[in-house]
Coordinates of all heavy atoms in Angstrom, one line a residue:
V66 N -2.4 -17.2 3.1 CA -2.5 -16.9 1.6 C -1.3 -17.5 0.9 O -0.3 -17.8 1.6 CB -2.7 -15.4 1.3 CG1 -4.0 -14.9 1.9 CG2 -1.5 -14.6 1.7
S67 N -1.3 -17.5 -0.4 CA -0.2 -18.1 -1.1 C 0.9 -17.0 -1.3 O 0.7 -15.8 -1.1 CB -0.7 -18.5 -2.5 OG -1.0 -17.3 -3.3
R68 N 2.1 -17.5 -1.7 CA 3.2 -16.7 -2.0 C 2.8 -15.7 -3.1 O 3.2 -14.5 -3.1 CB 4.4 -17.5 -2.4 CG 5.6 -16.8 -2.8 CD 6.8 -17.7 -3.1 NE 7.8 -17.0 -3.9 CZ 7.8 -17.0 -5.2 NH1 6.9 -17.7 -5.9 NH2 8.8 -16.3 -5.9
Q69 N 2.1 -16.2 -4.1 CA 1.7 -15.3 -5.2 C 0.8 -14.2 -4.7 O 0.9 -13.1 -5.3 CB 0.9 -16.2 -6.2 CG 1.7 -17.1 -7.0 CD 2.1 -18.4 -6.2 OE1 1.5 -18.7 -5.2 NE2 3.1 -19.1 -6.7
T70 N 0.0 -14.4 -3.7 CA -0.8 -13.3 -3.2 C 0.1 -12.2 -2.5 O -0.1 -11.0 -2.7 CB -1.9 -13.8 -2.2 OG1 -2.7 -14.7 -2.8 CG2 -2.7 -12.7 -1.6
I71 N 1.1 -12.7 -1.8 CA 2.0 -11.7 -1.2 C 2.8 -11.0 -2.2 O 3.0 -9.7 -2.1 CB 3.0 -12.5 -0.2 CG1 2.2 -13.2 0.9 CG2 4.0 -11.5 0.3 CD1 1.4 -12.3 1.8
I72 N 3.2 -11.6 -3.3 CA 3.9 -11.0 -4.4 C 3.0 -9.9 -5.0 O 3.4 -8.8 -5.2 CB 4.3 -12.0 -5.5 CG1 5.4 -12.9 -5.0 CG2 4.7 -11.3 -6.8 CD1 5.7 -14.1 -5.9
A73 N 1.7 -10.2 -5.3 CA 0.8 -9.3 -5.8 C 0.5 -8.1 -4.9 O 0.5 -6.9 -5.3 CB -0.6 -10.0 -6.1
L74 N 0.5 -8.4 -3.6 CA 0.3 -7.3 -2.6 C 1.5 -6.3 -2.6 O 1.4 -5.1 -2.7 CB 0.2 -7.8 -1.2 CG -1.2 -8.3 -0.7 CD1 -1.1 -9.1 0.6 CD2 -2.1 -7.2 -0.6
E75 N 2.7 -6.9 -2.6 CA 3.9 -6.1 -2.6 C 4.1 -5.3 -3.9 O 4.7 -4.2 -3.8 CB 5.1 -7.0 -2.4 CG 5.2 -7.6 -1.0 CD 6.4 -8.4 -0.7 OE1 7.2 -8.8 -1.6 OE2 6.6 -8.8 0.5
K76 N 3.6 -5.8 -5.0 CA 3.6 -5.0 -6.2 C 2.5 -4.0 -6.4 O 2.5 -3.3 -7.3 CB 3.6 -6.0 -7.4 CG 4.9 -6.8 -7.6 CD 4.8 -7.7 -8.8 CE 6.0 -8.4 -9.1 NZ 6.0 -9.3 -10.3
G77 N 1.6 -4.0 -5.4 CA 0.5 -3.1 -5.5 C -0.6 -3.5 -6.5 O -1.4 -2.7 -6.9

Side-chain angles (χ1 to χ4, degrees):
V66 298
S67 68
R68 177 178 162 267
Q69 289 78 14
T70 300
I71 300 300
I72 290 168
L74 278 168
E75 291 182 352
K76 288 183 175 182

